[in-house]
Amino acid sequence: MVAIFLRSLVYNVLFYVWLVLWILAALPTFLMPRRGILTVAKYWARSNIWLQRVICGTKVEFRGVEKIPAGPLIVAAKHQSMWETFALLPLFDQPVYMLKRELLRIPFFGWYLRKAEMIAINRTAGGKALIEVARRARDVVRGGRQLIIFPEGTRRAVDAPPSYKAGVGLIYAGADAPCVPVALNSGLFWPRRSFLRYPGTLVVEFLDPLPPGLPRDEFVARVSAAIEQASHRLIEAGRAEQAQLFGGVPGPSSAKV
């Protein structure tokens, strides 16, 4: 565990130093079209994945990438970690995230989010905010972009019970586009509210797309069932691998909610 602590320390320091360097390198994109900042963000994401593998021993495996349809799309991903908030970027042509409005207030970083035309959510506005978000989501997807959403709304610990929000059904209904469910086990390697980064194989699995036009309740039931079943399978496999890495002792637990 001492080695994991030291590697995590080095990685976290370099992560934020690297972030500052990329922020400075991206300054010219303010004079470019949106694609400029998205291109830089994709390189930044790839570099972080590489850095985590080299320093922390966290390999990454993307499965089912061939199932991702071209063009307008909703990507509904399990959310266990900060990791997937950047690591999914390189897999899509024109990705757009939904994120909390407070992030836009961060100097430079928030300005880049605006430049990339991400969708900010005012969580204190209730139902009115959801209607506005659904309208904006419809517009960006119909404009040809790939909308990445986390149907549970926030990060959930690995062993926490699922909590899918009904709003994802409203977004899906308005977008009139296929939806790709995404399962993962990132919480085993980059746990929420934890400084430590663990070795092993972090797996992201793209599942069979759901077609547009399903009834909202049916869509929410199907997307949540697909994500949860596949994520459980990936988590169990990841824990088995970590048990071997740690000499037969179960790997890190992220059971805190």
Side-chain angles (χ1 to χ4, degrees), residues 11 14 18 22 42-60 62 83 86-87:
Y11 174 76
L14 289 179
W18 200 229
W22 276 101
K42 292 175 186 181
Y43 279 110
W44 168 69
R46 291 190 185 100
S47 70
N48 284 324
I49 294 172
W50 174 83
L51 199 67
Q52 191 176 356
R53 176 174 59 82
V54 171
I55 297 175
C56 303
T58 310
K59 296 176 289 184
V60 176
F62 292 102
W83 184 87
F86 63 81

Side-chain angles (χ1 to χ4, degrees), residues 44-122:
W44 168 69
R46 291 190 185 100
S47 70
N48 284 324
I49 294 172
W50 174 83
L51 199 67
Q52 191 176 356
R53 176 174 59 82
V54 171
I55 297 175
C56 303
T58 310
K59 296 176 289 184
V60 176
E61 181 180 343
F62 292 102
R63 300 176 183 170
V65 176
E66 71 281 356
K67 296 181 180 180
I68 302 175
L73 183 66
I74 297 174
V75 181
K78 186 70 177 172
H79 197 14
Q80 297 174 347
S81 168
M82 177 182 169
W83 184 87
E84 54 268 13
T85 63
F86 63 81
L88 298 179
L89 276 169
L91 299 171
F92 301 97
D93 178 48
Q94 286 287 308
V96 53
Y97 279 90
M98 285 189 173
L99 46 85
K100 56 185 179 182
R101 188 177 61 175
E102 290 78 8
L103 293 176
L104 300 182
R105 300 171 185 166
I106 301 174
F108 290 100
F109 187 78
W111 304 342
Y112 286 130
L113 294 176
R114 290 182 185 274
K115 180 66 178 179
E117 300 178 19
M118 300 299 175
I119 300 176
I121 303 172
N122 180 3

Side-chain angles (χ1 to χ4, degrees), residues 2 46 61 111 126 158 208 224 239:
V2 173
R46 291 190 185 100
E61 181 180 343
W111 304 342
V158 168
D208 292 333
S224 59
R239 280 184 166 149

